[in-house]
């Protein structure tokens, strides 16, 4: 589990603070692991042969940050270039984006950079962008250097982590880092929606998370 | 599964020996037994379903299933590198590796405050009574079956103590859930000052939320809605109550006049006047699958199919017996032409095997060969979905390949770079839904969903991800006959959407939730029922006298079709094959 005070878990029923809801979109070349990152984050699962996303998938997950409950509405998109024209509909109004590349494939990093440019130009100007170098478990096949990606992220004001949906490395952390960076007073942050006691809850027990929202 | 933690949770109510259905290794149904629990936890009441590991046949891996579509595949322009191709076909001699994907059914565990509604299902479609929970985020959990029956009533009785349950006015098996916030509810009614002399109604409502109150509630909803619509200041009323009341009114068409007169210029309600009147038609039960005895009667002495149209009609009405599929599909997918003789087919097949065997052998993969074969299109996500059932049915890679080419000829425009084919189909779906169900269309339009993007997956791969393997084979056979009209996949999509209508509207789903709900339908759709409804809807559209011409065009043969016409300039050369007429397929 992640660091103290910031973990993916059900809020303790005693005291409830602010509830913020954010739209987050995952972008990146096909087969870099977008769906796997979401599946790891939302359900704590990993499938070696995750089927390709067609159209888009929508999932939610809630994280607790000190006294704030952050509910992510996650849009997982199809990565192939020909579906690019659908992307603006999904990143429209998004407060956060994770742009994913595969550390074993330089092309996917270039593609990630063009996503960054597109978001900087066309998305919500205050969007929090995180760059995820996924498949970090395949470091022996690395084609994109950590330092290179980190330098790029710094230049462009992006959060950056290398992640592994397979081993769960940095997966919760990258979502939590985004949650921390998101302005909790942003007008886009809606809530509380249903009043106290009706918080979106998720619990984590023994590594197996059971989310309210995860499809089937 | 973790054992109960007595400190953290207290069992309020439980039902053992319930089961859910999941896909097994062959993409077929399998039952997993478990216990439905209502638990009191520190943060409130939860509903959970836990697998019972001691229950029979469900060996260790009963939560897992192999995903028959798990074809993971990387193709880039620079280096055509195939990382993994994993069709789970039974016949994969050497050319394809078998890889099992483990997939888990989503745990059912939620706080009752996240429960938006649930459905009870009994009757002819469902052998055992079952319950399906739908959450406020759009998640719909798989139905939980109660083989012993009757338990649901007790469960609902307990649930009724935790949340307010109101029966849907339109569907007696649907129950809408709202949190038990008696004070909020009463104060909002007080603010409306509508119940001043109806205290008894409110107290009945509070005392007996489980049964029948929605009916009583609906009586005042018209009055309430008029007040709410008329009043600009809605702040005093919780929005969910406003919406709920509005929905209950919208469900009843006669009440539209009330809203109409309040806001006569509201364009959303104009559809009532413009609606094409679809005629009533009788729903026909599905036919028998095509059997060998019947199939063989269709051949003349030289092996020509004597009456392909009649044959297609049989397939359209009932599909094909599994043992015949590898033969029949070759005709349906234009690998063989209907008027070829047995001898011609043998010769033809030899040339195909000669032409392609080497390529197939070298490249070790059918999709890759297709990528080489149709370079313009390349590999597109979703193609592997189309391939996996063909692999299961065909004897060898060459037959599979040519049938795949035939299928891709039907769906070519879905996969083209500019996505114009998909955009056109979504647009046409929009037009058909408008005609088929104005109320549903209006709801979708009000909730940013009239673009029909939620149907993208349905249409791109012709419902492949929505059904178990047996069912998708049956559905595709029907689709390949080209009957009963052009673009039948859009009629099926409309019928399916109409099935989802009640859930979408009564749960007040927005754009996000609709997409999630539609994605979650996978595995829960009863194909025979859907095809019966689709057939009836197609007949309604075809025989409708005042059908708008643009809708007529979508379903009538002759004009350009979206999904079923290959674009001639992109179509790869097929020198020796003689595909049947396009119009017959579309």
């Amino acid at each position: 589990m992640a660091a103290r005070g910031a973990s993916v878990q059900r809020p303790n029923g005693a005291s409830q603070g602010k509830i913020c809801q954010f739209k987050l979109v995952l972008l990146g070349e096909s087969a870099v692991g977008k769906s796997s990152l979401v599946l790891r984050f939302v359900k704590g699962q990993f499938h070696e042969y995750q089927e390709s996303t067609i159209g888009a998938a929508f999932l939610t997950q809630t994280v607790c940050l000190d006294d704030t409950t952050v509910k992510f509405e996650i849009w997982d998109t199809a990565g192939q270039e020909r579906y690019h024209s659908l992307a603006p509909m999904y990143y429209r109004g998004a407060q956060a984006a994770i742009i994913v590349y595969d550390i074993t494939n330089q092309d996917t990093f270039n593609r990630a950079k063009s996503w960054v440019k597109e978001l900087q130009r066309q998305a919500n100007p205050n969007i929090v962008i995180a760059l995820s170098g996924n498949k970090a478990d395949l470091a022996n096949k690395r084609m994109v250097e950590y330092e290179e990606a980190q330098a790029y992220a710094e230049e462009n004001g992006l959060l950056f982590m290398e992640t592994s949906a397979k081993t769960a490395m940095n997966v919760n952390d990258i979502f939590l880092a985004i949650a921390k960076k998101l302005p909790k007073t942003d007008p886009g942050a809606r809530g509380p929606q249903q009043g106290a006691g009706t918080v979106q809850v998720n619990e984590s027990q023994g590594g197996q998370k059971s989310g309210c929202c995860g499809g089937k | 599964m973790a054992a109960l933690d007595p400190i953290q949770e207290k069992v309020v109510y439980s039902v053992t020996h319930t089961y859910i259905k999941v896909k097994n290794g062959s993409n077929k149904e399998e039952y997993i037994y478990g216990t439905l629990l209502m638990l009191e936890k520190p943060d409130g009441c939860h509903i959970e379903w836990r697998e019972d590991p001691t229950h029979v046949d469900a060996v260790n891996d009963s939560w897992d299933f192999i995903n028959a579509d798990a074809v993971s595949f990387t193709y880039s322009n620079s280096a055509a590198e195939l990382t993994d191709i994993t069709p789970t076909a039974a016949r994969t001699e050497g050319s394809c590796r078998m890889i099992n994907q483990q997939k888990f059914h989503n745990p059912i565990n939620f706080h009752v405050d996240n429960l938006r509604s649930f459905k009870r299902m009994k009757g002819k479609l469902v052998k055992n009574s079952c319950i399906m929970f739908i959450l406020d985020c759009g998640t719909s959990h798989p139905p939980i079956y109660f083989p012993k029956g009757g338990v649901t009533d007790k469960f609902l009785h307990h649930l009724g103590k935790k949340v307010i349950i109101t029966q849907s006015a339109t569907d007696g098996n649907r129950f809408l859930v709202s949190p038990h916030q008696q004070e909020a509810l009463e104060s909002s009614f007080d603010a409306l000052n509508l119940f001043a002399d109806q205290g008894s109604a409110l107290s009945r409502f509070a005392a007996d939320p489980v049964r029948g109150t929605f009916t009583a509630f609906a009586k005042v909803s018209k009055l309430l809605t008029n007040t709410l619509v008329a009043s600009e200041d809605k702040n005093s009323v919780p929005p969910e109550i406003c919406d709920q009341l509005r929905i209950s009114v919208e469900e009843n068409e006669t009440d539209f006049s009330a809203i109409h007169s309040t806001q006569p210029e509201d364009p959303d309600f104009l559809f009532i006047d413009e609606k094409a009147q679809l005629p009533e038609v009788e729903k026909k039960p599905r036919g028998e699958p095509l059997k060998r005895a019947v199939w063989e009667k269709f051949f003349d002495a030289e092996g020509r199919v004597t009456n392909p149209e009649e044959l297609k009609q049989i397939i359209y009405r009932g599909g094909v017996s599994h043992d015949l599929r590898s033969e029949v599909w070759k005709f349906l997918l234009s690998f063989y032409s209907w008027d070829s003789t047995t001898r011609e087919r043998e010769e033809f097949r030899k040339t195909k095997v000669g032409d392609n065997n080497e390529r197939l052998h070298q490249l070790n993969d059918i999709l890759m060969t297709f990528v080489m074969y149709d370079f313009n299109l390349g590999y597109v996500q979703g193609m592997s979905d189309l391939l996996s059932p063909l692999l299961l049915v065909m004897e060898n890679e060459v037959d599979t390949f040519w049938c795949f080419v035939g299928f891709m000829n039907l769906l070519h425009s879905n996969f083209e770079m500019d996505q114009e084919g998909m955009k056109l189909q979504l647009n046409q779906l929009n037009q058909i839904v408008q005609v088929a169900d104005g109320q549903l269309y209006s709801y979708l339009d009000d909730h940013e969903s009239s673009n029909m993007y939620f149907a993208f997956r349905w249409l791109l791969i012709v419902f492949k991800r929505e059904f178990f393997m047996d069912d998708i084979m049956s559905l595709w056979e029907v689709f390949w006959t080209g009957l009963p009209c052009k673009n039948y996949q859009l009629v099926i999509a409309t019928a399916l959407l109409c099935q989802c209508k009640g859930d979408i509207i009564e749960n007040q789903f927005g754009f996000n939730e609709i997409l999630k709900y539609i994605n979650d339908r996978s595995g829960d759709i009863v194909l025979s029922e859907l095809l019966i409804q689709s057939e009836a809807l197609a007949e309604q559209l075809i025989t409708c006298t005042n059908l708008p011409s643009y809708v007529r065009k979508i379903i009538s043969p002759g004009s350009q079709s979206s999904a079923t016409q290959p674009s001639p300039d992109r179509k790869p050369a097929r020198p020796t094959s003689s595909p049947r007429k396009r119009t017959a397929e579309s």
Side-chain angles (χ1 to χ4, degrees):
Chain A
M1 262 300 133
R4 184 173 47 86
S7 62
V8 182
Q9 65 181 22
R10 169 161 44 99
N12 166 343
S15 70
Q16 265 151 18
K18 261 185 306 194
I19 305 164
C20 296
Q21 189 166 310
F22 296 104
K23 177 176 173 181
L24 181 149
V25 63
L26 276 100
L27 300 166
E29 185 54 88
S30 55
V32 296
K34 297 180 292 299
S35 301
S36 293
L37 282 174
V38 177
L39 192 68
R40 173 61 78 184
F41 176 57
V42 173
K43 298 194 209 170
Q45 298 171 358
F46 177 78
H47 302 155
E48 191 75 38
Y49 298 95
Q50 174 71 27
E51 63 185 8
S52 62
T53 304
I54 290 179
F58 170 72
L59 297 99
T60 59
Q61 176 63 298
T62 305
V63 300
C64 294
L65 262 185
D66 304 323
D67 66 335
T68 307
T69 303
V70 174
K71 180 180 175 186
F72 282 116
E73 293 185 332
I74 304 166
W75 284 91
D76 178 21
T77 64
Q80 255 192 331
E81 174 57 29
R82 72 191 66 213
Y83 301 125
H84 191 160
S85 63
L86 291 172
M89 185 180 78
Y90 298 120
Y91 65 67
R92 182 193 64 188
Q95 286 105 356
I98 300 181
I99 294 174
V100 187
Y101 69 92
D102 170 358
I103 66 158
T104 69
N105 182 335
Q106 180 70 36
D107 286 346
T108 66
F109 183 56
N110 298 338
R111 184 88 186 89
K113 287 178 180 173
S114 69
W115 275 119
V116 171
K117 281 198 198 104
E118 177 167 339
L119 289 187
Q120 286 170 340
R121 204 171 54 238
Q122 291 185 36
N124 169 6
N126 300 318
I127 191 167
V128 172
I129 303 175
L131 182 67
S132 155
N134 197 35
K135 308 195 188 179
D137 52 290
L138 300 176
N140 56 339
K141 294 184 188 167
R142 174 187 292 279
M143 298 298 287
V144 181
E145 289 308 318
Y146 182 91
E147 291 73 20
E148 181 191 0
Q150 192 180 37
Y152 172 78
E154 267 173 33
E155 274 168 40
N156 288 274
L158 318 176
L159 291 166
F160 171 64
M161 283 183 202
E162 285 195 347
T163 56
S164 167
K166 187 171 183 172
T167 67
M169 179 188 116
N170 278 345
V171 176
N172 287 345
D173 308 70
I174 197 164
F175 282 91
L176 288 166
I178 292 166
K180 280 180 192 163
K181 198 170 167 185
L182 281 163
K184 306 303 180 299
T185 53
D186 189 287
R190 307 184 295 268
Q193 306 144 288
Q194 296 170 311
T198 59
V199 187
Q200 196 74 38
V201 292
N202 289 285
E203 62 177 18
S204 85
Q205 277 176 344
Q208 165 121 21
K209 279 194 289 290
S210 50
C212 119
C213 302
K216 324 181 274 196
Chain B
M1 283 270 104
L4 293 179
D5 179 346
I7 301 162
Q8 287 296 315
E9 55 191 32
K10 183 175 141 248
V11 178
V12 179
Y13 187 73
S14 70
V15 191
T16 56
H17 300 291
T18 67
Y19 65 86
I20 60 168
K21 293 178 182 175
V22 293
K23 293 179 186 179
N24 73 5
S26 338
N27 206 11
K28 294 198 171 142
E29 280 186 350
E30 189 172 287
Y31 298 169
I32 300 175
Y33 284 81
T35 302
L36 180 63
L37 295 156
M38 190 180 293
L39 300 167
E40 200 64 60
K41 294 194 185 185
D43 69 338
C45 182
H46 287 244
I47 290 173
E48 244 182 270
W49 186 85
R50 291 181 188 175
E51 186 189 354
D52 177 3
T54 60
H55 203 286
V56 278
D57 47 85
V59 204
N60 328 343
D61 61 353
S62 63
W63 281 62
D64 310 341
F65 66 87
I66 301 156
N67 181 1
D69 309 325
V71 183
S72 157
F73 190 109
T74 309
Y75 174 70
S76 66
N77 297 330
S78 51
E81 184 196 355
L82 192 62
T83 51
D84 273 304
I85 169 92
T86 64
T88 53
R91 297 178 209 91
T92 50
E93 307 97 352
S95 70
C96 297
R97 278 171 293 145
M98 288 275 289
I99 298 174
N100 296 346
Q101 172 174 13
Q102 293 204 323
K103 214 167 182 179
F104 304 88
H105 119 83
N106 195 41
I108 302 174
N109 176 4
F110 55 88
H111 194 288
V112 291
D113 286 346
N114 294 122
L115 185 61
R116 177 70 63 87
S117 74
F118 57 88
K119 280 204 285 191
R120 262 197 311 187
M121 288 172 277
K122 281 179 191 170
K124 58 177 167 50
L125 280 181
V126 187
K127 198 169 59 190
N128 292 316
S129 69
C130 69
I131 186 167
M132 182 174 99
F133 295 108
I134 298 179
L135 308 188
D136 55 7
C137 58
T139 292
S140 50
H141 284 298
I144 299 166
Y145 292 83
F146 300 85
K148 291 180 176 173
V151 208
T152 48
D153 291 329
K154 272 187 226 159
F155 188 74
L156 298 188
H157 173 75
H158 283 273
L159 185 60
K161 293 177 185 166
K162 304 294 174 188
V163 289
I164 299 171
I165 303 172
T166 49
Q167 193 170 18
S168 160
T170 54
D171 179 350
N173 285 323
R174 177 180 290 111
F175 297 85
L176 305 168
V177 172
S178 46
H180 245 312
Q181 291 179 326
Q182 219 56 264
E183 286 178 24
L185 206 61
E186 282 177 38
S187 66
S188 64
F189 284 130
D190 286 348
L192 278 165
N193 203 21
L194 279 167
F195 282 100
D197 55 355
Q198 296 194 31
S200 58
L202 183 59
S203 60
R204 271 205 308 274
F205 178 78
D208 188 13
V210 184
R211 259 172 270 110
T213 49
F214 195 79
T215 323
F217 203 44
K219 286 178 189 160
V220 293
S221 61
K222 181 177 172 181
L223 176 64
L224 279 167
T225 305
N226 283 339
T227 313
L228 297 175
V229 172
S231 162
E232 283 303 302
D233 178 20
K234 293 185 188 171
N235 295 339
S236 56
V237 187
E240 56 269 29
I241 292 177
C242 286
D243 289 344
Q244 184 147 336
L245 292 171
R246 201 193 311 268
I247 291 292
S248 73
V249 171
E250 285 180 3
E251 280 298 311
N252 183 347
E253 284 230 5
T254 56
D255 280 337
F256 270 111
S257 56
I259 301 171
H260 205 114
S261 61
T262 319
Q263 295 190 319
E265 69 289 336
D266 191 336
D268 286 344
F269 298 104
L270 292 179
F271 69 85
I272 292 171
D273 307 320
E274 293 171 351
K275 199 155 109 185
Q277 286 300 316
L278 295 185
E280 292 286 321
V281 300
E282 203 184 325
K283 284 185 185 168
K284 299 188 194 79
R286 296 287 296 155
E288 283 287 304
L290 177 67
K291 300 253 168 39
R292 182 164 296 279
V294 179
W295 164 246
E296 283 170 353
K297 281 187 194 146
F298 274 87
F299 290 93
D300 66 12
E302 293 179 300
R304 289 189 195 85
V305 178
T306 51
N307 192 346
E309 293 314 310
E310 191 188 330
L311 195 59
K312 282 190 231 171
Q313 187 65 34
I314 294 172
I315 298 168
Y316 166 64
R317 303 256 38 260
V320 179
S321 293
H322 190 72
D323 62 315
L324 274 183
R325 279 181 169 140
S326 69
E327 292 168 57
V328 179
W329 284 16
K330 288 175 188 130
F331 290 90
L332 287 172
L333 290 168
S334 305
F335 180 31
Y336 295 154
S337 69
W338 295 97
D339 55 4
S340 59
T341 62
T342 310
R343 195 194 163 95
E344 280 167 355
R345 285 196 293 272
E346 279 166 8
E347 292 298 315
F348 176 63
R349 204 164 160 275
K350 266 184 210 160
T351 64
K352 288 297 170 195
V353 172
D355 283 353
N356 302 284
N357 204 21
E358 197 174 335
R359 268 197 287 170
L360 281 168
H361 190 70
Q362 283 173 353
L363 289 170
N364 216 17
D365 161 46
I366 289 160
L367 277 176
M368 203 60 222
T369 307
F370 183 78
V371 170
M372 302 304 290
Y373 172 79
D374 190 346
F375 227 80
N376 284 326
L377 208 54
Y379 171 74
V380 185
Q381 288 173 356
M383 282 183 184
S384 50
D385 288 87
L386 302 179
L387 182 61
S388 54
L390 299 181
L391 269 168
L392 278 171
V393 163
M394 294 299 152
E395 287 88 1
N396 61 59
E397 283 79 3
V398 175
D399 290 344
T400 308
F401 174 75
W402 285 107
C403 286
F404 181 64
V405 168
F407 200 3
M408 283 307 299
N409 275 338
L410 297 176
L411 299 177
H412 210 277
S413 66
N414 283 9
F415 293 96
E416 277 167 6
M417 197 64 197
D418 59 13
Q419 292 287 293
E420 286 304 322
M422 285 305 296
K423 285 177 199 160
L424 178 63
Q425 282 210 72
L426 294 172
N427 195 29
Q428 291 175 330
L429 178 61
N430 167 304
Q431 291 170 337
I432 295 176
V433 173
Q434 271 189 67
V435 170
D437 193 328
Q439 189 194 13
L440 172 61
Y441 180 79
S442 177
Y443 183 88
L444 294 175
D445 202 35
D446 289 346
H447 294 80
E448 302 174 276
S449 297
S450 57
N451 55 30
M452 307 283 158
Y453 280 123
F454 55 80
F456 191 91
R457 189 173 81 186
W458 290 358
L459 298 176
L460 185 83
I461 48 174
V462 208
F463 305 98
K464 170 60 174 56
R465 299 235 179 137
E466 320 311 321
F467 290 98
F468 294 111
M469 190 58 88
D470 280 352
D471 279 351
I472 199 61
M473 290 181 177
S474 303
L475 190 152
W476 283 359
E477 286 157 357
V478 169
F479 173 67
W480 293 332
T481 63
L483 297 170
C485 62
K486 202 175 66 169
N487 282 315
Y488 190 45
Q489 78 282 1
L490 298 176
V491 178
I492 298 172
T494 306
L496 182 48
L497 196 52
C498 288
Q499 284 188 357
C500 301
K501 171 187 174 179
D503 282 343
I504 290 173
I505 294 181
E506 295 210 41
N507 290 299
Q508 303 165 49
F509 287 155
F511 179 79
N512 294 354
E513 295 82 14
I514 291 172
L515 182 99
K516 180 150 180 49
Y517 174 79
I518 292 290
N519 281 351
D520 282 356
R521 299 277 46 74
S522 172
D524 279 346
I525 306 162
V526 181
L527 179 68
S528 56
E529 187 68 12
L530 177 65
L531 289 177
I532 288 168
Q533 287 171 2
S534 303
E535 184 177 0
L537 177 59
E539 195 185 334
Q540 285 184 301
L541 293 168
I542 291 164
T543 57
C544 175
T545 48
N546 62 338
L547 193 70
S549 59
Y550 54 87
V551 178
R552 174 85 55 203
K553 224 179 232 174
I554 297 168
I555 60 166
S556 302
S559 51
Q560 181 70 29
S561 148
S562 59
T564 49
Q565 282 281 31
S567 26
D569 54 326
R570 308 289 290 271
K571 191 187 159 197
R574 295 182 58 198
T576 48
S577 74
S578 55
R580 66 210 158 99
K581 280 182 192 147
R582 287 296 148 215
T583 47
E585 315 171 341
S586 59

